[in-house]
Amino acid sequence: MALRMEKQKKPSRQQVYTLLVQIGRKDGDGLPEGATGAALICFASGVDEAEAVRETVAILKQADTAPLDVTGYGTLAEREAQGHDIEPDERALMQRALDENAVIVAQMTPFYGDEAEA
């Protein structure tokens, strides 16, 4: 007879970080015709911002995009402390990223022409 030991679940150290990712063009990236790249707002879970960035870049590369630059805007608490206005739907996506230990692309803004360099 096998005994089953109940594992005590440790409190998760995961937090959700808001990241702005700039991507360039790549075959099969799904960006609109004529776009030179895009900016993505992502909510990514991680034990720290560096892990959230690594996971986000890895997932975006798997999705056939070409991540060029990532800017971190911190956790929900850090953003609130900075006075950011965070809408309920944004909070819901952050919670989903935390619950699913996932990267959520919340917004995509394509670039056309030289505006990406502004």
Side-chain angles (χ1 to χ4, degrees), residues 74-85:
T75 63
L76 175 61
E78 291 167 342
R79 290 184 58 203
E80 287 174 329
Q82 294 170 12
H84 292 199
D85 185 25

Side-chain angles (χ1 to χ4, degrees), residues 58-76:
I59 294 219
L60 291 174
K61 284 182 177 180
Q62 285 179 351
D64 283 334
T65 66
L68 301 174
D69 187 56
V70 180
T71 303
Y73 288 93
T75 63
L76 175 61

